[in-house]
Amino acid sequence: MAGNSPKVADEGKGRTDSLQSICYKRGSLHLLDQRKIPLETTYLDIRNSADGWFAIKDMAVRGAPAIAIAAALSLAIEAFNLESFQGTPDDAASFLSQKLEYLVSSRPTAVNLSDAAIKLKEVISKAASTSSEAKAVFQAYIEAAEMMLEEDVASNKAIGSYGASLLQSQEEGSKTLSILTHCNTGSLATTGYGTALGVIRALHAKGILERAFCTETRPFNQGSRLTAFELVHDDIPATLIADSAAAALMKAGRVNGVIVGADRVAANGDTANKIGTYNLALCAKHHGIPFYVAAPLTSIDLSLPSGQEIVIEERSPKELLNSRGGLGEQVAASGISVWNPAFDVTPAALITAIITEKGVITKAGNDAFDIKDFVQKVSGQPS
């Protein structure tokens, strides 16, 4: 790798779906550069974990599930292409573990990334304890990373199915539904189909989606650039709105529900998601509109009792000072101070339900989520 960013791959090579954010086969990984959508479709050639780190940090790849898979696979590529490794199985395990820690530092708020690293370290440790050669440890890691890729698509489709059924049942008096979403939670934020946008896809497939509304999602414009791109691509009836127009849209009675993704969900249900999510939840509460979170179980962090413990990443001031999320010309006054948190935390009290690939988490009689109990039940763990 030269410099501090991954190389651009040959566009279109070996790909048939322009919405495939992660193109992988053993020994080869290409990530769609989402900073250039919708004007360009360019793939980055990821050759090692350093390439993966920069692609994630610079938001060429984004979305909590996609970040985790991209990180895991970037190290799988590096492990596969190692020409020689002089060391024991324990040395191989140490090498991989250190690389995983490095990858986790790229975007600290997304729990999927740290969760993936923990699970992969368990695989590495087990392989090291039972193998006589370092090669076997690398092979075990590669196979585990590839399994994560396969499981993500199935997980997303299950979230879509559970979510569509929930929204349909809670709006029994409506033949069709109009749903508002924020940021990008579709094929571009995952390995395919999506979480919150996957629910919208499932509603559309059932013929009960009247319209999807998507926010711009400033300052990086994931809604106008990415979600709008996906909705148009799939011929889903959709309308783009300014972030500041959401309250007026709700007041006009044009929204039946709001659904968003999550980068991290605390044990009590407090949810960190793209900045602006909290605003939408407050508006939805005021207008009596249900507010849903759609996320895989890997986004749930039971080690955090509440959202107060979630580390919130702050992005570069340039994303506000310049157009196109920091990639274009200067639009703000020189010398102005900037506060640019990437995420906010929506209190559980504002969330109607949390939709996962294992079912829907609803509130108990005390109007609170018991997420730990749900996770234990669906995973077969003792209470």
Side-chain angles (χ1 to χ4, degrees):
M1 188 184 97
N4 62 353
S5 61
K7 296 180 180 179
V8 175
D10 180 27
E11 293 187 29
K13 183 178 180 182
R15 291 177 296 275
T16 58
D17 185 356
S18 62
L19 295 188
Q20 190 174 354
S21 61
I22 299 174
C23 300
Y24 173 84
K25 63 179 181 180
R26 188 167 291 186
S28 172
L29 174 63
H30 295 99
L31 299 179
L32 180 62
D33 189 344
Q34 297 185 34
R35 298 167 298 184
K36 298 184 177 181
I37 289 177
L39 303 180
E40 296 179 34
T41 303
T42 302
Y43 282 79
L44 301 175
D45 185 8
I46 305 299
R47 301 183 179 182
N48 51 45
S49 56
D51 283 354
W53 191 94
F54 281 107
I56 295 167
K57 183 67 175 177
D58 296 340
M59 290 181 70
V61 60
R62 26 69 51 208
I67 286 170
I69 303 299
L73 292 178
S74 70
L75 182 52
I77 294 298
E78 183 170 348
F80 180 84
N81 292 322
L82 278 176
E83 294 183 0
S84 62
F85 183 85
Q86 303 298 324
T88 66
D90 286 339
D91 293 333
S94 178
F95 171 85
L96 291 169
S97 293
Q98 290 176 19
K99 294 285 186 178
L100 285 170
E101 287 297 321
Y102 165 67
L103 285 162
V104 167
S105 71
S106 61
R107 302 274 326 254
T109 303
V111 70
N112 306 60
L113 179 52
S114 57
D115 180 75
I118 290 170
K119 291 175 179 176
L120 289 168
K121 284 179 182 178
E122 291 173 355
V123 171
I124 294 165
S125 177
K126 183 177 179 180
S129 66
T130 58
S131 304
S132 58
E133 295 182 355
K135 182 179 180 180
V137 178
F138 290 121
Q139 181 66 22
Y141 174 85
I142 292 169
E143 291 175 357
E146 291 173 346
M147 183 60 67
M148 287 184 169
L149 176 65
E150 294 176 13
E151 291 174 347
D152 188 62
V153 176
S155 170
N156 292 336
K157 290 188 175 180
I159 290 172
S161 178
Y162 280 119
S165 296
L166 174 67
L167 268 66
Q168 192 174 11
S169 68
Q170 295 202 346
E171 296 288 340
E172 291 179 353
S174 302
K175 292 183 179 179
T176 57
L177 305 173
S178 288
I179 305 299
L180 173 63
T181 192
H182 187 58
C183 198
N184 175 255
T185 57
S187 297
L188 299 176
T190 62
T191 58
Y193 203 70
T195 53
L197 196 54
V199 174
I200 290 174
R201 281 193 166 97
L203 287 169
H204 178 62
K206 286 187 170 193
I208 57 176
L209 179 73
E210 180 177 339
R211 181 158 297 273
F213 290 96
C214 62
T215 61
E216 294 174 288
T217 320
R218 291 183 52 78
F220 213 67
N221 302 313
Q222 293 97 323
S224 57
R225 291 188 303 107
L226 307 179
T227 299
F229 181 68
E230 291 199 46
L231 292 167
V232 170
H233 179 276
D234 287 3
D235 291 323
I236 295 174
T239 298
L240 174 68
I241 67 168
D243 290 358
S244 52
L249 187 74
M250 294 181 197
K251 185 178 180 181
R254 299 178 65 184
V255 178
N256 298 101
V258 181
I259 186 163
V260 300
D263 283 78
R264 190 177 294 244
V265 180
N268 70 338
D270 291 351
T271 296
N273 192 50
K274 185 54 55 189
I275 191 72
T277 301
Y278 184 27
N279 303 35
L280 292 178
L282 287 168
C283 288
K285 184 73 171 179
H286 177 76
H287 292 96
I289 296 170
F291 184 93
Y292 304 100
V293 170
L297 290 178
T298 52
S299 294
I300 295 173
D301 188 350
L302 294 176
S303 72
L304 301 181
S306 74
Q308 292 184 348
E309 290 77 30
I310 297 176
V311 176
I312 300 298
E313 172 190 359
E314 291 195 24
R315 302 286 301 171
S316 167
K318 194 173 182 181
E319 292 182 356
L320 268 70
L321 297 173
N322 291 50
S323 66
R324 296 173 51 227
L327 302 176
E329 69 278 4
Q330 182 176 331
V331 294
S334 297
I336 187 68
S337 297
V338 171
W339 182 54
N340 185 25
F343 308 95
D344 55 28
V345 176
T346 298
L350 299 177
I351 299 171
T352 305
I354 300 170
I355 305 160
T356 79
E357 74 276 25
K358 297 296 185 181
V360 178
I361 307 174
T362 55
K363 291 179 177 177
N366 58 354
D367 202 32
F369 292 113
D370 191 345
I371 297 180
K372 183 178 181 181
D373 181 67
F374 177 87
V375 171
Q376 288 176 335
K377 285 179 178 177
V378 299
S379 60
Q381 300 174 6
S383 299

